[in-house]
């Protein structure tokens, strides 16, 4: 089973302050080794040997910030295939409420484009219509392209009205809670986690297989109920020391750090 990096860190955070039996301590060490191995490290950096100069710290911090800006950008593409209407096109964009729209444009089959950034921003700000309708003549095959910037380490996300349903929920991780002073940036980040029921046909299932599994469970078959789990994850850039002697500052883009979407699977 695939386990996200942030899930392993969350486990370490939850048990870091607890008194553990020897067997449990071995499990914690095992989790820690998996996290370090994913960063190409065999052991924790010996911070007593660090001799990084101020110039080197500033240089690596600039590199880290450049990587963060690039990784926070995502190009979303939506296709229009309904060619019966000849005067407008409709799309159903899914843009996170805490994402910033950098630009939006219609791209036509002949590769020409039309800027619709202001229209899309007003549509999201109003929040009244499910579909985005754009006037367009002979636009069969047009695509809506949206470049967004998502925040990974900013303010806490608002708690959505999930209720008991499978949903993405806030989870703030602070590296100092594990005693990991070797991670310089970010000091903390919003990892999110998935929680909720997976039973009703109205729940969000990742596949038809998961839906059928839920139906069989509901009918009393000896089949486990689908679990609420991440469907889509995104990476996070880290500025940290490696395990060389003396430790050196490096920038690593770590996969599977932030939950983007949850589903019953």
């Amino acid at each position: 089973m695939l386990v996200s990096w942030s899930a392993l860190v969350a486990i370490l955070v939850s048990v870091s302050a607890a008194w553990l039996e020897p067997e449990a301590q071995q499990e914690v060490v095992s989790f820690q080794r998996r996290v370090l191995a994913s960063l190409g490290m065999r052991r924790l950096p010996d911070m007593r040997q660090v001799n990084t100069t101020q110039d080197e710290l500033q240089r690596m911090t600039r590199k880290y910030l450049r990587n963060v800006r690039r990784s926070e950008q995502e190009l979303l593409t939506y296709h229009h295939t309904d060619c019966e209407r000849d005067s407008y096109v409709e799309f159903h964009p899914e843009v996170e409420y805490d994402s910033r729209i950098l630009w939006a444009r219609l791209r036509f089959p002949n590769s020409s484009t039309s800027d619709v950034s202001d229209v899309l921003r007003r549509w999201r700000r109003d929040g009244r219509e499910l579909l985005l309708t754009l006037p367009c003549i002979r636009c069969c095959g047009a695509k809506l392209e949206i470049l967004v910037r998502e925040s990974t380490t900013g303010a806490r996300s608002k708690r959505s009205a999930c209720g008991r349903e499978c949903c993405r929920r806030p989870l703030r991780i602070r590296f100092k809670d594990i005693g990991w002073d070797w991670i310089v940036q970010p000091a903390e980040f919003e990892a999110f986690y998935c929680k909720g029921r997976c039973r009703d046909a109205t729940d969000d299932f990742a596949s038809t297989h998961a839906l059928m599994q839920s139906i069989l469970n509901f009918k009393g078959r000896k089949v486990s109920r689908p679990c609420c789990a991440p469907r889509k994850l995104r990476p996070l850039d880290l500025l940290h020391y490696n395990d060389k002697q003396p430790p050196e500052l490096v920038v690593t883009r770590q996969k599977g750090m932030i939950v983007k979407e949850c589903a019953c699977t």
Side-chain angles (χ1 to χ4, degrees):
M1 181 178 67
L2 294 177
V3 180
S4 69
W5 202 89
S6 59
L8 294 175
V9 174
I11 293 172
L12 294 174
V13 170
S14 65
V15 300
S16 60
W19 183 86
L20 300 174
E21 296 290 340
E23 294 81 2
Q25 291 178 0
Q26 292 178 2
E27 289 297 323
V28 171
V29 171
S30 176
F31 282 127
Q32 181 170 273
R33 286 174 178 168
R34 290 178 63 180
V35 171
L36 294 175
S38 68
L39 292 172
M41 299 164 58
R42 295 183 178 180
R43 56 185 175 272
L44 289 172
D46 186 354
M47 298 301 290
R48 296 170 299 180
Q49 298 185 25
V50 170
N51 58 3
T52 306
T53 65
Q54 191 64 27
D55 288 343
E56 177 67 6
L57 177 59
Q58 292 177 357
R59 185 181 71 83
M60 293 303 294
T61 300
R62 288 194 295 269
K63 179 180 179 180
Y64 161 75
L65 293 175
R66 286 195 300 269
N67 283 22
V68 167
R69 284 192 290 270
R70 285 196 295 266
S71 65
E72 288 181 349
Q73 293 184 7
E74 182 179 7
L75 181 63
L76 308 176
T77 303
Y78 302 91
H79 296 268
H80 170 72
T81 57
D82 186 356
C83 298
E84 295 182 1
R85 302 182 179 93
D86 197 34
S87 59
Y88 64 92
V89 289
E90 288 183 332
F91 299 95
H92 184 195
E94 297 180 356
V95 182
E96 295 287 341
Y97 67 85
D98 55 352
S99 297
R100 177 187 173 193
I101 298 174
L102 300 181
W103 53 255
R105 65 191 178 195
L106 275 178
R107 179 176 293 277
F108 306 105
N110 63 1
S111 297
S112 62
T113 60
S114 175
D115 185 88
V116 292
S117 303
D118 292 338
V119 177
L120 182 64
R121 293 188 184 107
R122 286 196 299 269
W123 172 81
R124 187 175 69 160
R125 184 173 60 248
D126 294 342
R128 292 192 298 266
E129 300 295 334
L130 181 64
L131 296 176
L132 171 66
T133 303
L134 300 171
C136 187
I137 299 176
R138 296 178 182 176
C139 293
C140 181
K143 296 187 296 184
L144 175 64
E145 297 178 341
I146 309 171
L147 185 65
V148 298
R149 174 171 291 162
E150 302 178 80
S151 175
T152 58
T153 59
R156 291 177 180 269
S157 298
K158 299 177 182 178
R159 186 178 296 273
S160 58
C162 294
R164 297 170 57 191
E165 299 174 357
C166 178
C167 184
R168 188 180 75 159
R169 302 166 193 267
L171 173 62
R172 198 75 171 179
I173 290 181
R174 299 179 180 87
F175 291 114
K176 69 176 182 179
D177 292 341
I178 325 173
W180 283 5
D181 56 347
W182 52 275
I183 294 183
V184 181
Q185 293 285 352
E188 59 183 46
F189 70 101
E190 192 71 59
F192 300 101
Y193 75 104
C194 298
K195 181 181 179 181
R197 67 181 184 185
C198 292
R199 185 180 180 91
D200 298 340
T202 57
D203 294 330
D204 187 9
F205 290 91
S207 64
T208 305
H209 179 277
L211 176 59
M212 297 301 296
Q213 182 178 337
S214 180
I215 293 174
L216 292 174
N217 174 270
F218 184 76
K219 289 183 174 293
R221 295 281 295 275
K222 294 183 179 180
V223 179
S224 61
R225 185 183 301 176
C227 298
C228 183
R231 173 164 56 184
K232 189 174 181 181
L233 296 158
R234 59 173 300 188
L236 181 71
D237 289 284
L238 301 172
L239 174 61
H240 65 93
Y241 285 97
N242 59 21
D243 57 353
K244 291 185 177 181
Q245 296 181 351
E248 300 173 347
L249 272 176
V250 293
V251 176
T252 303
R253 178 163 296 173
Q254 187 61 38
K255 297 180 179 179
M257 289 290 287
I258 300 170
V259 176
K260 285 203 65 179
E261 297 177 6
C262 299
C264 298
T265 183

